[in-house]
Every structure is written in C-alpha cells, then in structure tokens.
Amino acid sequence: MPDLLLELFSEEIPARMQAKAADDLRRMVTDKLVAEGLVYEGAKAFATPRRLALTVHGIPVRQSDLKEERRGPRVGGPDAAIQGFLKATGLAQIEDAKIQTDPKKGDFYIALIEKPGRATIDVLAEILPVIIRTFPWPKSMRWGERSTKSGSLSWVRPLHSIIATFGPETEEPDVVKFSVDGIEAGQTTFGHRFMAPAAISVRRFEDYEAKLKAAKVVLDLQARRDIILADAKQLAFAQGFELVEDQALADEVAGLVEWPVALMGSFDEEYLTIPDEVIRATIRNNQKCFVVSDPKTGKLTNKFILTANIEATDGGKTIIGGNERVIRARLSDAKFFYETDLKTKLEARLPKFEQIVFHEKLGTQGERIKRIERLAAEIAPLVGADVEKAKRAAHLAKADLLTEVVGEFPELQGLMGKYYTLAQGEDASVAAASEEHYKPQGPADRVPTDPVSVAVALADKIDTLVGFWAIDEKPTGSKDPYALRRAALGVIRLIVENALRLPILNVTQSAIVGLPDRSAKYPTAGAQSLSSDLLSFFADRLKVQLRDQGARHDLVDAVFSLGGQDDLLLVVRRVEALGKFLDTDDGKNLLAGTKRASNILSIEEKKDKRTFDGAPDAGLYNLPEEKALAQAIDQVKHEAAAAVAREDSATAMSAMAKLRPAVDAFFDKVKVNDDEPKVRENRLKLLNEIRAATRAVADFSKIEG
C-alpha cells in the first residue's frame, strides 16, 4: 500500500513549539484521512529547527466506492418536495427512484446513490493545503510581497518549500500536486544550513531520512536528544568529571540544532565561590549549556558543555571562545549580585514588604509574613518543632524575594534564602525552612521532614488557603489562578507523609483570626462555616491523592461523611483499613447486607413518614435469628467503639466482620415487614441498629458496589 511523505521546510522554528507542531501535523493529516474513509496503518511525525516532516504508511490507493440509500418524500407528495429530493440526490427524474412501502406510513421514494471513490492522491491534494493554511501555531507571521494581500499564508517562520510524495515503496512515487501561496509541492529539500546547504531530491521516507543524515541533519528529535546527552556524558567522563543531567535543557537544545556537536569550555575558578545553583542557572539560562561536577566532591567544576550545530574546521575553538566570553561576563554579574546580597542582612530587607501588596483584600506581604509567623508558632508544638525556631524561620523565609540573585533568577527563591540565612549565622533548621517551606510544589516534589520546615510550610499554605477562601476566590472548574489545589495537596502530603496528627479545623479557624478586616466575606456564616467548607475542599483533594495511589474515592466519602473528621492522617488510615476489609468476603457480604438494610429502611421510612430510631424491644424477638443479630450488634458496637477510640482501624474492621453471619442469617430467615405492626416496627429498628453499628467506622451507604 502507498505511503505519504510530507515535509514543510522553513526558517528556524522556536524550540518550544517543535514537539507540539509535529504532533499537530500528524493529528491533522491522519484525522482528515480517516474522515475521507482512508484508514492508514501507521504515522510518525518529526521536527528539526527548520522542518516539520510526516510519514504515513499503509494508505489505500483510492477511496472505496460509496453506496447510499436516501429516503425521499411520500409518493404523491408535494411537487416542491419531490423537486428538492431530485436536486439533492442528483436524479434526473422521479422515475429513477425506487419506491419503498412502509406498513404504517405508506409508500416513499428511495434514491440509490452510488458515489465512486476518488484516488487518494487527489484527496491529499485537496486536504494538505487546507491543513497548512489552518495550522495552529501559537504565533505566526507573514512575509514578502504576498503578505500585503488578503488571505496570504501565515506560518511560524517564512516557509520555503514543501515535499509531498505518495506511492508504494516498490515504485517511483508521485508528487502530490498542490501549491500554497505560490510554493509548489515537490520532492526537494535542503540539508544542514552550513555544512550541506545544497538541494536534495527525495522519493520516499527511507531515502529522505538517509539523505538528510548524509547532509548533516538528524531528523528525529529523540535521537538528537540522546546524542546530546550521550556525547556530553562521554566528554565529561573523558576529563574525569560527571555531567549534571538536565532533561529539560536537553529537550530545548535538541530543538536548536540539527547536527549536535558537544564541546567543552571553562571559566575562571574564582566563580566557584558562588553557590552551585547560581552558576548552573547563569550558564543554563544565558547560554543553554550543561554544567559539570567533580564526582569526588559532588561540587561543580569550572567546566561547561555546549552543543554546537556545526562541525567547525578549527575543532570548535572559536565557538568555545565565544561562549566562554559570554559566560564569564554573566558569572561576573552573578558574583556581584551574590556578594552584594551578602552585605545586607535578611531582616533589614523586611520593611520593604510593608509597601508590597500581596492581595488588595489580604494586605501587604509584610502583613502576610506576620500571619505566617504567628500560625507557624501555633503549629510548631503540634508537629514537634521548636516554637522560637519556627517563628524565626517564618520571619525570614520570604526575605530572599528582595535579593538581587532571586530578582535575576526567580527559580532560586527559597534556595538562596537558605544560603543567605546560613551566611548570617542562623540555625540550620531556620535556614532549611527558607528553602523547604515552598515544598511540596507538585506530586514529584519531595516533602520536608524537618519539624521547623514542616511548621512553616503548613503555615504558609494554610494562610494562603484560608485567605483566598475568606475573600471567595475559590477554584472554579479548571481555573485555579492562585494554585489553591496544589496548596491543599501540599498540606495533605505534609501531614500524611510525616504522620502528623493535626486538627485542621482548629488550625484553619486560628488562621482566620489573623486575616485583615477587609478580607472578611463571611459575616453571617462565621469562621466555623468557612473552616468546614475548606475541610470539604481538603476531602476532595484527598480523594484525588488517594485515587492516584490506587485507592477508591468513595471510601473517602464514607469516612468523611461521619462528620468531625479533620484528622487527615486518621482518615487515610481508616480508608486504608476499610479498603482492605472490603476486599475480603466478610467485607463484601457485610456491605451488601448493610446496603440491603438501608434500602429497606429508606423505603419504609418514606412510606410511614417517620424514622425507626430507638432501641428494639427484646421481648418482641420471635425468631432466634433476631436474637442472634441483636446480640452480635451489641458485641460489635462495644468492640468497634473501643477500637476506634484507640484509633485502631484494623481491629475496628475485624469487629465489623463479626456482624456478617448474623446479618446473612437474619435476611435469610426473617420477614422484616411482618403482618404484626409492632413486630414489623421492631424489626425495622433492628435494621437501623445495623446501620448505626457500621457507622462506627464509616457510612456504608456512601460505598459503591
């Protein structure tokens, strides 16, 4: 079956756009093919700085013929309807239509339409220009004389040529005939801009890829990325060093070169007095180069590795020299910023925060720091942290935001605070909190374990959540401009992974007290209502967290619905125990029995317009199964309540298991809706006792299944 080769050759495409553009090209072409009834076997797209390419193999040579029956108006219907039917179906006269009988509605005209399939190459010539003209670049441009004309082509960078060939691999392929803005599709491309700029004639993907490689172009983005990392590692290893791997940088550099060549440069050792992270950020951000470490010390060396796009005749000396000059200048600036920052104590910077607004309804950054400091001091005893250290850490944690280095490299906020805090002689835990109070910032980020860091991290995130909740700036749908979902997940991970017993309701209510008056959006509901609403948000986030870990979200609902469940660690442990219990036969059968009891109660309570609360009358038990169930409930209630009080969820579940045989026997032998009203009422009260007993550990009605 024939294959398609498509290449769009242009000026340099921004690296950040290449991967998505390749995927968009594959998706748009294959979607159109399928829509035209052309089912293909496979497709793969490629991107280099100067080209997008696509190969689609196993495409039918032509569309299948289409046969369609189209129903028309009733026989004897209005002439206008018949004429419209003829026009829509292409029939010359109504006698060319068939008549179909409908037993209920009478006779109708039926047109048999046969539409021969078109050659695939003609379909491609029709759809490819449309795809090129409607390609979804984030930003695009017009160029040349044609740009002044209406409807001229808009592309990310000036488009120079188009390859479009179609045919089986055993034959010479045909060129798909079309043009876009004066650019005719053909079978000519160009190699590396500097090392092989001559035109190259290609036929199909195999020789296209091979000829490009011979012309110093590695077509596949992943292959270029692998070459960059492998060559950089080898170059570092040859000098006795280790490459500091940076996957994001490798991705970016792979989009900047078509023929990657690794080269090593150096800078003056005096710059090694700067923190490693500052050196790395400087070299990475300004020159897109990798840094190198000494495996003996783990510290950076005064070497860097760049990726050139050319095999230079001088072995890369000129390229290395140019990069060294730029890096030397940038490191000189970074060293000046760092040494200037060290001359000013962090505490001396804090007054500036009084003039910086955090949010118009939540006050200045200075006010927020005071709130975090007070809240961290309250949380500290709950997490085993020293109160004074927690206060001091919260006091200084944001100060590095006003430093020169963080102004230049915002991604180093927190980390630089740690360096500056240590430099001025603060306690190691106080310094660590400067970096760690932002963590965790995502599912892959580590969770702080130092109690001082934990206290400040919790205070920071809870103040954010409570503040924006108070001014009614909650997340809606996919919108979460203040990253409140991430903050809530951070609180959950801090609590659960550090096994902390933290009363969320009390802490959030305490945080509310410190908010400025202008943020009070809850005069009637009060702090308790706001905290409860926020607790529901934590429950939703906890469901997401546990679901990602393979747990069931309905079990979270079953535990939270009991009310007063603001100890997130206890909730997680109870959910885990409940999940294990429901995986057993006892758990599954007890769940079924409890749901049956709840369903019966719901029906009868609705029918009688009353609830069946209160203890059953033991004197009305007529059957041994009733007595056995009542006895089992009394025993389970006592054992489960004692286990729950000890926070022993596993034992509580084991106690629940003892209900299973008595519940099974009751439903097997006992008629709940007895003819005697008092007996019926008593048995319904007994069912309510089942529901009440299981609620010692969870609301089983919330559990699916």
Side-chain angles (χ1 to χ4, degrees):
M1 296 177 79
D3 300 338
L4 167 69
L5 170 63
L6 176 67
E7 183 203 65
L8 304 167
F9 181 80
S10 69
E11 294 295 323
E12 274 73 6
I13 304 167
R16 68 183 184 279
M17 298 182 187
Q18 291 172 22
K20 185 177 185 304
D23 188 61
D24 284 339
L25 183 64
R26 179 195 56 77
R27 174 183 53 80
M28 293 175 76
V29 172
T30 55
D31 283 356
K32 281 285 189 182
L33 287 172
V34 172
E36 293 289 342
L38 297 167
V39 180
Y40 60 96
E41 292 179 2
K44 188 171 183 181
F46 305 88
T48 80
R50 296 205 297 161
R51 72 200 77 223
L52 290 181
L54 173 71
T55 175
V56 185
H57 61 270
I59 310 174
V61 72
R62 65 182 300 111
Q63 294 172 314
S64 300
D65 294 339
L66 177 67
K67 292 184 179 181
E68 178 186 2
E69 284 192 358
R70 187 174 299 182
R71 184 169 175 169
R74 184 181 289 106
V75 173
D79 186 61
I82 291 175
Q83 293 303 317
F85 174 63
L86 292 175
K87 184 177 180 180
T89 57
L91 296 180
Q93 54 188 5
I94 195 63
E95 286 74 15
D96 294 336
K98 293 178 65 176
I99 296 175
Q100 186 176 83
T101 300
D102 186 317
K104 294 183 179 179
K105 297 182 179 180
D107 295 339
F108 287 84
Y109 289 114
I110 297 291
L112 297 177
I113 302 172
E114 295 188 9
K115 185 179 178 182
R118 291 189 297 162
T120 299
I121 196 167
D122 294 334
V123 176
L124 290 169
E126 181 180 286
I127 67 175
L128 292 180
V130 176
I131 290 170
I132 293 170
R133 285 190 173 278
T134 60
F135 201 80
W137 291 110
K139 290 185 178 181
S140 57
M141 61 181 289
R142 293 184 175 89
W143 60 92
E145 294 181 7
R146 290 180 176 272
S147 64
T148 61
K149 299 179 181 179
S150 177
S152 62
L153 177 64
S154 177
W155 199 248
V156 63
R157 294 291 184 271
L159 185 65
H160 293 315
S161 66
I162 301 171
I163 288 177
T165 66
F166 179 74
E169 61 182 57
T170 56
E171 301 174 13
E172 188 71 19
D174 295 315
V175 172
V176 183
K177 298 292 185 182
F178 68 90
S179 68
V180 178
D181 228 34
I183 304 171
E184 296 279 347
Q187 53 190 113
T188 301
T189 188
F190 302 87
H192 192 282
R193 183 187 287 277
F194 306 112
M195 294 189 289
I200 302 169
S201 179
V202 299
R203 294 176 299 166
R204 55 181 57 84
F205 178 73
E206 287 73 17
D207 75 309
Y208 167 75
E209 185 178 33
K211 286 180 177 179
L212 279 181
K213 188 171 184 180
K216 305 299 183 182
V217 175
V218 178
L219 183 63
D220 186 62
L221 181 68
Q222 181 63 51
R224 295 198 303 276
R225 186 187 297 124
D226 293 343
I227 291 168
I228 289 166
L229 288 175
D231 288 357
K233 286 179 185 177
Q234 185 61 38
L235 193 56
F237 179 76
Q239 300 292 323
F241 303 131
E242 284 184 350
L243 178 74
V244 177
E245 289 195 46
D246 188 330
Q247 193 62 53
L249 179 59
D251 292 343
E252 184 176 5
V253 174
L256 298 174
V257 298
E258 289 193 320
W259 189 257
V261 177
L263 301 169
M264 180 177 281
S266 63
F267 54 86
D268 296 339
E269 289 191 1
E270 66 175 288
Y271 296 121
L272 293 177
T273 58
I274 310 171
D276 285 359
E277 293 83 359
V278 179
I279 296 173
R280 182 179 182 184
T282 301
I283 293 176
R284 182 191 198 280
N285 294 5
N286 288 286
Q287 290 303 104
K288 312 302 179 190
C289 296
F290 297 90
V291 291
V292 174
S293 67
D294 184 341
K296 297 175 183 176
T297 64
K299 301 287 290 180
L300 293 188
T301 69
N302 64 326
K303 304 289 184 182
F304 65 88
I305 294 177
L306 64 95
T307 306
N309 189 34
I310 187 172
E311 292 176 352
T313 55
D314 64 354
K317 290 181 181 179
T318 303
I319 298 172
I320 293 170
N323 277 269
E324 287 179 341
R325 284 192 297 274
V326 175
I327 286 174
R328 187 182 306 118
R330 298 286 78 80
L331 286 176
S332 179
D333 291 342
K335 187 171 185 287
F336 173 78
F337 292 151
Y338 178 62
E339 291 174 350
T340 300
D341 286 340
L342 289 174
K343 294 175 183 177
T344 304
K345 293 281 189 181
L346 289 174
E347 201 152 18
R349 301 179 186 275
L350 296 178
K352 290 184 181 180
F353 281 128
E354 300 299 338
Q355 282 75 51
I356 300 174
V357 175
F358 170 67
H359 189 283
E360 61 178 348
K361 296 178 181 178
L362 296 174
T364 65
Q365 281 280 17
E367 290 176 302
R368 182 164 187 262
I369 289 170
K370 291 183 179 69
R371 293 199 302 270
I372 295 173
E373 188 177 343
R374 184 184 62 81
L375 192 57
E378 293 187 20
I379 293 174
L382 304 175
V383 300
D386 181 277
V387 174
E388 292 305 315
K389 289 181 182 179
K391 287 174 65 177
R392 182 65 177 167
H395 187 63
L396 298 176
K398 303 291 184 184
D400 70 333
L401 295 174
L402 298 175
T403 61
E404 297 288 343
V405 171
V406 173
E408 184 74 12
F409 304 112
E411 67 271 24
L412 298 183
Q413 63 181 287
L415 178 65
M416 295 312 299
K418 180 182 75 172
Y419 282 119
Y420 296 140
T421 306
L422 288 172
Q424 69 182 42
E426 299 287 345
D427 183 87
S429 291
V430 172
S434 293
E435 177 188 8
E436 296 182 331
H437 80 281
Y438 291 108
K439 296 180 179 295
Q441 292 187 301
D445 199 9
R446 68 179 180 85
V447 174
T449 56
D450 183 283
V452 173
S453 295
V454 171
V456 182
L458 285 169
D460 182 35
K461 292 170 177 59
I462 290 172
D463 175 78
T464 298
L465 288 161
V466 167
F468 285 107
W469 235 252
I471 62 174
D472 201 26
E473 290 282 0
K474 307 171 188 176
T476 56
S478 61
K479 295 181 179 179
D480 186 10
Y482 302 109
L484 301 182
R485 293 188 180 98
R486 186 175 71 185
L489 282 171
V491 171
I492 290 169
R493 288 190 63 198
L494 283 162
I495 290 173
V496 174
E497 294 184 32
N498 283 297
L500 301 177
R501 308 301 303 276
L502 194 73
I504 288 291
L505 283 172
N506 291 344
V507 175
T508 53
Q509 288 172 32
S510 179
I512 293 167
V513 174
L515 292 174
D517 292 340
R518 57 186 175 279
S519 69
K521 276 271 190 177
Y522 46 94
T524 55
Q528 180 66 47
S529 177
L530 188 149
S531 294
S532 298
D533 188 31
L534 192 52
L535 182 62
S536 297
F537 183 67
F538 277 117
D540 289 338
R541 294 300 92 203
L542 184 58
K543 285 183 213 173
V544 173
Q545 170 98 353
L546 293 177
R547 184 175 64 232
D548 290 344
Q549 296 173 358
R552 290 166 47 180
H553 67 87
D554 57 324
L555 303 189
V556 181
D557 280 335
V559 174
F560 261 108
S561 64
L562 297 181
Q565 302 294 321
D566 72 333
D567 186 330
L568 299 182
L569 180 64
L570 186 59
V571 168
V572 169
R573 287 176 175 172
R574 192 172 293 182
V575 167
E576 290 172 351
L578 183 58
K580 291 178 182 178
F581 175 57
L582 293 175
D583 284 339
T584 67
D585 288 339
D586 282 341
K588 292 172 185 174
N589 288 324
L590 179 59
L591 175 62
T594 304
K595 282 187 170 292
R596 184 175 177 184
S598 293
N599 291 337
I600 294 171
L601 280 168
S602 296
I603 294 169
E604 300 307 316
E605 286 172 347
K606 187 175 181 180
K607 186 191 300 181
D608 290 14
K609 297 180 180 179
R610 55 163 292 193
T611 59
F612 293 95
D613 300 325
D617 183 352
L620 293 175
Y621 295 151
N622 296 330
L623 299 172
E625 289 79 12
E626 292 177 277
K627 298 175 184 177
L629 177 58
Q631 185 178 354
I633 289 172
D634 286 341
Q635 180 185 357
V636 166
K637 270 185 178 180
H638 174 75
E639 292 182 10
V644 168
R646 296 193 308 271
E647 299 178 355
D648 185 352
S649 297
T651 301
M653 299 302 163
S654 297
M656 286 292 109
K658 297 177 182 178
L659 270 181
R660 181 251 173 122
V663 170
D664 289 349
F666 179 85
F667 281 119
D668 189 42
K669 299 292 185 181
V670 178
K671 178 184 177 183
V672 176
N673 286 317
D674 194 83
D675 296 335
E676 173 58 44
K678 288 186 177 180
V679 173
R680 169 181 173 271
E681 178 183 349
N682 203 56
R683 288 174 178 173
L684 288 170
K685 286 183 176 181
L686 191 55
L687 291 188
N688 190 60
E689 289 289 293
I690 298 174
R691 187 166 61 180
T694 55
R695 285 182 67 86
V697 294
D699 184 350
F700 275 48
S701 68
K702 301 288 185 183
I703 302 173
E704 298 174 1

